[in-house]
Each structure stands twice: as structure tokens, then as C-alpha cells.
Amino acid sequence: MADPPKLIVPGQSTPTAAGGQLHIANARGAVQRTVNVAPPVRTDPGFFKRLISELNPLRQTTRGAMAISGLGVAALALDVAATLNLGNPFLFYDRREQWKDLAGMLEGSRSDLWRSFFDDISPNWKGQAVQTLQQYVRFNVNGLYSQLDKVSGEMSGAMHSQYKEVLEYDLSVFGLYATSAPMLRTVAALSAHPVGKVALMTQVGLFMSAAGNLVKQFADVYNSYEGDLNKLELKLNGLRGAFYKSGSPDLGARDLNLIPAIADPLRLKEYWVSASKGAS
């Protein structure tokens, strides 16, 4: 039997056989087909490690000049605050891609469900069970998929924005040290002279001002995106309420509220009527 066709979306890694499996079963519980589900593998390009390795010598030069200037305590505090906020942008890039992958999987699952009903069930079966299932697919499941797709898109967008902000902050910090360290090293060598000492204090003061602005920039960005993520969390809580009774997974998933007789094997012909039989 030939392997099923695989759709590889541009920008997505080829699925591997090492992932999980989704088993599709019929009404009797017999597995009809198995679908391999493997998340794309993305490798950290190592940008953050290289940045830190190149930043550390610049920090040592800058900290040495700070100590000589007499403003060491305050300047070192800003140095620690500015560099402590450095982050690996790949982590947010990876989460952005994960949410994009999830959005694609959701749309694929929604389309599979939609086409399965209207291609396989609706043309071939009639009766109360089919009408109830059609109503549920149209007005419940389809709507929930749309909400999930919207939230996953917003989460991917939020992760992209944070990836961008973290990358820009990292580059801003590195740029500050890269431009300040040579100047501070030069002026620190002249600090034995009173004029040189004043010049060193001035340069350290300028560095402190720039570092303080970076720390404030980080705090503003953090608070802004914390608010955005809080809004998305509220939306996810709302979706939990749509999927689970009283919004609690412990209470179980919401059901179709079908009458028990529909599931009675002895009464299947009463609720599931073949379309060909109804036409004859």
C-alpha cells in the first residue's frame, strides 16, 4: 500500500517518524488509519551564546574603568541591571513558530472534520442523529475552531513582537558596550592626571545615563507585553469554558446532550437512515 501524500509547508521542517501518532477509529473503535504527528525541529543558531562571549571582555574593560572613576558602586549596579535583562531571542522565535504550527494543525483538523461530515456523512445518511450532528458541527465545533485559530494567531504575533524586542535590546546593550569600552579604556589610562580623571568620570556618567535608559526601556516593554499576555490568558480561559463543563477539565468535556437512545445499537436504524433507502 502506498504511503499517504505529505504536504510540506514552506518554512516548515519535514516531519520525522519519531513523532507521536494520531489514530483515526470508526464508531466501533477499530483503527482505520494512523497519522504521524511530528513537530518541526528548529535548532538554536547560537546567536545569544556568541553575543555573551563577545560581550564579557567588553564588560570587564568597562567595569575596570568604573572602579577607577570613583563611581563604581552606582555604575556597577546599572551594569548588572542592563546585562541581567539580556535574553535569548530564539526562545521567543521558537514559540512563535510553535503557535504558527498549531494554527496550521487546527485549520487542518477543522477542514478534515468539515469535509468528513459534508462529504461522507451528509450525502449518505439522514435522520435525527445526522441532523443533530450537523447542527453541532456547524454551530459549535466550527466556531470553537475559529476561536482557537484566532488565539493561536494572536499568541504567535505576541511571541514575534517579544522576539523582536529581545533581539533589539540585546543588540542595544552590546552596541553600548562596544562603543563605550574602547573610549573608557583610553580615558582610564589617563586618569592619573586630574583632567583625565574628570574626563573618565564624564564618560562613565554618559555610560550610566545610556544604561539607565536601556533598563527603563526594558521595564516599559516588559510591562506592555505582560498586559498583552494577560489578555490572551483571559481569552484562553474563555475557551476552556467553551470546551469543559464550568470551565474545569476536572468536570469533563462538554457533550452533545444527545438522548441515550441514539447510541443504542438496537435503534440505530431509527436514528440513522440511509440516504439511498430514503430515496427509494
Side-chain angles (χ1 to χ4, degrees):
M1 182 175 179
D3 292 333
K6 296 182 176 64
L7 174 65
I8 308 302
V9 180
Q12 186 180 48
S13 301
T14 304
T16 63
Q21 291 183 323
L22 176 65
H23 303 284
I24 311 299
N26 60 17
R28 295 184 297 276
V31 175
Q32 300 297 296
R33 61 191 177 96
T34 300
V35 180
N36 289 324
V37 180
V41 178
R42 287 175 284 271
T43 303
D44 190 336
F47 160 81
F48 187 63
K49 288 184 178 180
R50 292 196 301 272
L51 182 139
I52 294 299
S53 65
E54 295 180 17
L55 179 63
N56 283 333
L58 300 174
R59 285 190 70 198
Q60 293 302 321
T61 299
T62 304
R63 289 161 73 96
M66 292 174 183
I68 297 173
S69 71
L71 301 174
V73 175
L76 286 173
L78 285 172
D79 163 74
V80 171
T83 54
L84 190 64
N85 292 329
L86 291 169
N88 187 352
F90 173 78
L91 299 178
F92 295 97
Y93 165 84
D94 189 44
R95 285 167 174 78
R96 181 194 74 181
E97 296 302 303
Q98 287 178 9
W99 281 103
K100 283 169 59 177
D101 295 337
L102 179 59
M105 291 174 60
L106 285 170
E107 177 57 26
S109 298
R110 186 198 68 79
S111 297
D112 287 346
L113 176 64
W114 188 267
R115 299 314 315 175
S116 293
F117 179 82
F118 288 101
D119 289 348
D120 301 329
I121 298 178
S122 182
N124 301 310
W125 296 94
K126 299 185 182 301
Q128 182 178 347
V130 176
Q131 294 174 1
T132 302
L133 182 57
Q134 179 180 6
Q135 182 178 0
Y136 190 76
V137 169
R138 278 181 177 273
F139 302 109
N140 293 74
V141 177
N142 194 56
L144 289 174
Y145 268 111
S146 297
Q147 293 180 55
L148 284 170
D149 180 69
K150 183 177 180 181
V151 170
S152 60
E154 291 181 8
M155 285 295 295
S156 179
M159 293 299 103
H160 172 74
S161 296
Q162 294 190 49
Y163 155 76
K164 175 177 175 291
E165 294 290 350
V166 169
L167 178 61
E168 289 181 350
Y169 180 83
D170 288 354
L171 294 176
S172 296
V173 171
F174 183 82
L176 173 62
Y177 280 87
T179 55
S180 299
M183 178 67 70
L184 291 173
R185 180 173 58 247
T186 301
V187 179
L190 305 174
S191 61
H193 191 280
V195 176
K197 186 65 174 287
V198 172
L200 177 59
M201 294 177 65
T202 301
Q203 289 299 321
V204 171
L206 293 173
F207 173 87
M208 292 173 62
S209 177
N213 287 334
L214 284 175
V215 172
K216 182 180 183 301
Q217 170 191 332
F218 179 88
D220 291 341
V221 170
Y222 178 89
N223 290 329
S224 174
Y225 286 105
E226 181 71 14
D228 291 343
L229 291 175
N230 183 64
K231 293 176 183 177
L232 287 169
E233 183 179 3
L234 292 174
K235 290 185 178 182
L236 289 172
N237 288 339
L239 282 173
R240 187 181 293 114
F243 279 107
Y244 298 103
K245 298 175 182 177
S246 299
S248 173
D250 295 334
L251 298 178
R254 298 189 183 278
D255 53 37
L256 293 173
N257 295 319
L258 300 176
I259 59 175
I262 285 183
D264 186 351
L266 299 178
R267 302 183 64 180
L268 285 178
K269 293 182 179 180
E270 181 180 340
Y271 294 101
W272 291 89
V273 179
S274 172
S276 59
K277 181 179 179 180
S280 59

